[in-house]
Amino acid sequence: MPAGSSLASAAPPSLAEFRARYVENLAALYAVDPKLASRLEALPFADTPALEPTRDGLFTFRLTADDGRPIYAHSRYRPREEAQALIAQQGRRAPASAPGRPDPDDEDDETEGLCFLVNGLGLGYLVAELEARYPRPLLIVAEDDLTVLKAALCVTDFSKPLRERRLTFLTSADKGTVHERLRPALTPIMLGLRLLASPYTSRWHAAFHAGVRSLVRDFVSYSRVQMYSLLRNARITCKNIAFNLPTYLSQPGVEVLKERAAGYPAILVAAGPSLARNFDQLAGLRDRAVLIGVQTVLKLMLSRGVPPHFVTALDYHEISAQFFRGIPDFGAVILVAEPKVSWHVLDEFRGRAHVLHAAFADDLLQAAAPPRAALPAGSTVAHLSFYLAQHLGCDPIILVGQDLSFTEALYYPPGMQVERIWAPELGRFMTVETKQWERIMRMRSGLQRVTDIHGRPAYVDDQMFTYAEQFQADFLASRARVIHACEGGIPLAGTEIMTLRAAAERFCTRPLPPDLFALPPSPPGPEACRSACAALEERLRELHEIRAIATETLTELDRLAGLLDRPAEFNRGVARIDELRVRMARYDRTYGLVSHVSQLAELRRVQADRTISDEQRETPARARRRLRRDREYVAALIDGCDYLLGLLPEALRRVRERSAS
């Protein structure tokens, strides 16, 4: 510790306390973030800021602001009260009673969404107050000065939230790092992220703190789209997986494609407007690069005599089947699909198909489930194409038509199927370009003006922006070289920009082996289908039992609501609930199936659990809230059982029909 600092000049017991606190904090940090802990341990104490005592017996320290002027990190008088006031001003609620905690008897107190982004750690007073005020908050702290962080480890006890993995430090405004750190906290972030900023961060390292806030907002925007999609499409996704079981069982997954094209380039063909600029070059590259097209461009590629080696599909909606209808011959095109893809797509596609791993299918079939490989989850077929290229071992990966913007005020490249739909409206005063512009302008409230790779203005919508965020994180993490050869669209971090012609001359220099993706025929035996059918029949039996247990549980919960003023009878009712819970645990995996189709109920339960902390004093009001939470959840489970009991017989019929054909 610096000889001239208050740490060194404090009374020996205080110095010992500082050292003990630092060691305990560092040990907890080593368990969750060893790289950061190692960097802090290597930092000399002499480099930490000199602490100055405050009037209330705590500490503050001076900083040099971005403009060169001196500022203090905390109040020189009462830094703890300053932290309390900041939480009251910047948070959603002020304390309801005592400064430490909300009133435990306040039934309307809302402590859900206990997730905070704290800009500026200082000596940790904000973090300490949040820990005292809220039950088990999730804390994300942005602090890029390690000397400040090391000083804070001496002053404030962070060991509990660190050990419980509720405290994360962001020490750089790097997009990949920020997304990696935030991803495990996706659910609590979505339930409600609050932003708190120490006053000194507006004048000290302001660019870093603004950058972190921007990255966190981008992550939240992207995650909101993902979460909304999950909740909205949970049931149709499960239906598609169940109805896709015939293909899932009869054909291998992508595990047979691992590293099959190692060292060969891949060209990913997306449906951005710039595709028109270099589509004609693709035919001459098919024998020297792996062509992976998204489902949207399949008909266009086939009609122009450029069949892709692979086409990707993942859209849950039945409308996506239109990209496969009316194609007389798919030739050697191989379909790679996520298991959630509309079952109409796999019914329409007449050719070799590989379906990715599905946890829902594993729970349906259990011991009868075939081994299947997975790829990372992507938001679009273009993301899936990128993950497939990585799985194949392709390097480099060349992007074509991946604009992620409305290049030259166009929505699609010329020749797309949508033009046939618009054909009756086209004429002298209504051109294809006008129709495309009208479609873009429908989203005018969500459009952003950006600069494309040529330095020209372009528009993106919110959805494109979130897709670009995921792409850039993927590109930055990829071991393969990624080439932006779209000749249009927005620049993407982690890519090299060049023309397709230049990329082809440099990387597409040797022919692909003619049997690169050939597989020996290996039809599943009849025993596999019989085992799958038996598994589905067993799931139906178990679902009937789960529904009966849930119905009895719901009756007991309704009875308990009337016994809150009779503790003895209430406790006997709780014992009966525990017995039913033990019975339900026997069907753990089938219970998971019901949870899959009840995602909104699961999210509400998580939210309610964060609202009603076990650490808070139990009162009749809180017990009533627990019962209400449990009743809503059990009612949703019964509804989920009913959905599956209507779904699985049809899935079973489809498997039987495929096995008989």
Side-chain angles (χ1 to χ4, degrees):
M1 298 179 184
S5 74
S6 56
L7 288 180
S9 61
S14 298
L15 181 59
E17 289 173 6
F18 282 134
R19 286 174 173 163
R21 188 170 296 127
Y22 170 75
V23 169
E24 187 174 4
N25 281 332
L26 192 67
L29 184 61
Y30 259 114
V32 296
D33 192 346
K35 290 183 179 179
L36 177 58
S38 179
R39 292 170 63 196
L40 288 171
E41 189 173 20
L43 190 69
F45 278 104
D47 293 345
T48 60
L51 303 188
E52 300 179 18
T54 60
R55 289 189 180 180
D56 62 356
L58 298 177
F59 300 94
T60 186
F61 60 91
R62 277 183 289 184
L63 297 165
T64 301
D66 296 339
D67 60 6
R69 298 180 181 180
I71 57 172
Y72 276 92
H74 306 288
S75 166
R76 289 178 289 170
Y77 301 96
R78 296 179 177 82
R80 179 178 288 121
E81 291 183 11
E82 178 188 49
Q84 293 169 355
L86 282 171
I87 294 172
Q89 293 165 7
Q90 298 182 22
R92 186 172 53 175
R93 287 178 63 94
S97 53
R101 287 187 178 275
D103 185 351
D105 290 323
D106 181 7
E107 185 172 2
D108 294 326
D109 170 58
E110 294 185 354
T111 57
E112 78 278 4
L114 300 177
C115 184
F116 299 88
L117 171 65
V118 179
N119 278 97
L121 177 63
L123 294 176
Y125 301 133
L126 263 177
V127 170
E129 285 303 314
L130 290 171
E131 274 285 288
R133 176 179 295 247
Y134 297 106
R136 294 175 52 80
L138 183 68
L139 303 163
I140 303 162
V141 178
E143 181 56 71
D144 64 336
D145 192 313
L146 297 190
T147 65
V148 171
L149 181 50
K150 184 157 186 167
L153 294 184
C154 298
V155 174
T156 302
D157 184 6
F158 303 116
S159 58
K160 183 179 179 181
L162 281 172
R163 285 196 304 269
E164 295 176 354
R165 297 180 180 272
R166 295 187 289 103
L167 174 58
T168 298
F169 294 114
L170 301 177
T171 59
S172 71
D174 172 72
K175 177 181 295 185
T177 302
V178 170
H179 281 218
E180 179 185 354
R181 294 297 182 88
L182 297 183
R183 203 167 289 122
L186 175 60
T187 298
I189 287 174
M190 289 297 96
L191 288 175
L193 177 67
R194 306 187 201 179
L195 305 182
L196 295 172
S198 298
Y200 70 87
T201 59
S202 64
R203 298 179 56 196
W204 185 75
H205 295 195
F208 162 76
H209 292 290
V212 168
R213 284 193 295 271
S214 177
L215 289 173
V216 171
R217 281 194 293 267
D218 292 346
F219 177 83
V220 170
S221 297
Y222 160 70
S223 300
R224 187 176 290 117
V225 173
Q226 299 288 88
M227 183 72 75
Y228 177 73
S229 178
L230 172 66
L231 296 176
R232 184 186 64 178
N233 304 326
R235 293 199 169 183
I236 186 61
T237 293
C238 293
K239 178 179 180 178
N240 287 337
I241 293 172
F243 281 17
N244 284 332
L245 284 176
T247 304
Y248 193 79
L249 291 163
S250 64
Q251 301 200 39
V254 294
E255 62 277 355
V256 298
L257 299 174
K258 179 72 172 176
E259 300 294 326
R260 290 294 291 269
Y264 289 98
I267 299 177
L268 311 189
V269 186
S274 69
L275 178 60
R277 296 179 180 174
N278 41 37
F279 191 96
D280 292 339
Q281 298 179 58
L282 296 178
L285 297 174
R286 190 182 185 279
D287 295 332
R288 292 180 284 141
V290 179
L291 295 190
I292 305 176
V294 299
Q295 61 182 16
T296 326
V297 299
L298 177 61
K299 287 185 175 180
L300 178 62
M301 295 183 75
L302 291 176
S303 68
R304 301 277 291 272
V306 192
H309 296 95
F310 295 94
V311 61
T312 54
L314 57 69
D315 194 347
Y316 71 93
H317 199 282
E318 180 183 354
I319 197 172
S320 61
Q322 68 176 313
F323 302 118
F324 300 88
R325 289 194 180 111
I327 297 177
D329 182 12
F330 289 93
V333 176
I334 302 168
L335 172 64
V336 173
E338 285 199 4
K340 68 181 181 183
V341 72
S342 170
W343 57 275
H344 299 280
V345 168
L346 292 181
D347 283 3
E348 289 288 341
F349 187 80
R350 297 174 305 283
R352 179 173 143 194
H354 299 276
V355 182
L356 307 182
H357 172 261
F360 187 77
D362 282 353
D363 288 338
L364 277 176
L365 302 175
Q366 296 189 15
R372 293 288 179 265
L375 295 179
S379 300
T380 68
V381 280
H383 291 96
L384 177 56
S385 295
F386 179 74
Y387 302 142
L388 173 60
Q390 289 190 125
H391 184 72
L392 290 166
C394 295
D395 191 2
I397 299 173
I398 303 169
L399 310 179
V400 173
Q402 192 59 69
D403 297 37
L404 292 169
S405 68
F406 302 116
T407 301
E408 296 180 351
L410 295 177
Y411 200 98
Y412 295 117
M416 296 296 290
Q417 188 177 9
V418 69
E419 293 181 6
R420 301 189 189 100
I421 300 173
W422 291 337
E425 303 177 51
L426 301 180
R428 182 177 178 184
F429 301 106
M430 179 59 68
T431 64
V432 170
E433 291 77 11
T434 302
K435 291 292 293 183
Q436 295 215 36
W437 180 246
E438 285 181 350
R439 181 159 186 173
I440 295 170
M441 282 298 101
R442 289 178 203 159
M443 301 173 290
R444 61 170 57 90
S445 61
L447 292 179
Q448 302 179 41
R449 194 180 178 95
V450 296
T451 302
D452 70 9
I453 61 170
H454 303 294
R456 299 176 304 200
Y459 286 107
V460 301
D461 61 18
D462 291 338
Q463 193 173 56
M464 285 179 174
F465 181 81
T466 60
Y467 293 161
E469 287 295 301
Q470 182 174 354
F471 265 128
Q472 292 177 115
D474 292 334
F475 296 160
L476 289 168
S478 178
R479 290 181 295 178
R481 194 172 191 170
V482 183
I483 308 299
H484 190 310
C486 306
E487 302 181 41
I490 62 173
L492 298 168
T495 67
E496 301 175 48
I497 298 176
M498 63 180 70
T499 65
L500 179 58
R501 191 171 305 281
E505 291 175 353
R506 186 171 176 182
F507 302 112
C508 305
T509 57
R510 55 178 176 151
L512 301 178
D515 59 346
L516 185 58
F517 303 116
L519 292 177
S522 56
E527 183 58 34
C529 288
R530 283 196 294 267
S531 297
C533 290
L536 291 176
E537 290 169 347
E538 180 64 12
R539 297 297 85 72
L540 284 167
R541 185 194 68 77
E542 292 171 345
L543 282 167
H544 281 292
E545 179 64 18
I546 287 173
R547 192 189 189 285
I549 296 171
T551 301
E552 187 175 350
T553 301
L554 193 61
T555 301
E556 286 295 321
L557 290 171
D558 287 340
R559 193 172 69 85
L560 285 175
L563 300 176
L564 288 171
D565 57 346
R566 287 174 276 176
E569 294 181 55
F570 184 88
N571 289 337
R572 285 195 292 272
V574 170
R576 178 56 185 158
I577 294 289
D578 290 338
E579 293 174 7
L580 293 170
R581 186 180 294 112
V582 171
R583 283 177 56 193
M584 186 73 81
R586 300 172 189 166
Y587 307 104
D588 184 55
R589 293 193 71 178
T590 305
Y591 177 88
L593 294 172
V594 183
S595 297
H596 271 294
V597 299
S598 308
Q599 290 291 324
L600 184 57
E602 291 290 333
L603 182 64
R604 285 175 174 167
R605 184 178 70 166
V606 171
Q607 186 175 25
D609 286 345
R610 294 184 67 82
T611 305
I612 309 168
S613 170
D614 290 337
E615 297 177 358
Q616 293 174 323
R617 179 164 57 89
E618 189 64 29
T619 65
R622 294 199 182 281
R624 193 172 296 111
R625 290 167 67 189
R626 293 180 193 278
L627 288 173
R628 184 167 63 244
R629 171 202 64 186
D630 293 343
R631 192 190 186 288
E632 290 175 355
Y633 181 67
V634 174
L637 288 181
I638 293 173
D639 181 65
C641 286
D642 290 341
Y643 180 79
L644 288 173
L645 287 169
L647 172 69
L648 291 192
E650 179 63 16
L652 179 59
R653 181 192 66 78
R654 287 173 59 84
V655 173
R656 284 175 174 158
E657 285 183 355
R658 177 67 66 89
S659 63
S661 61

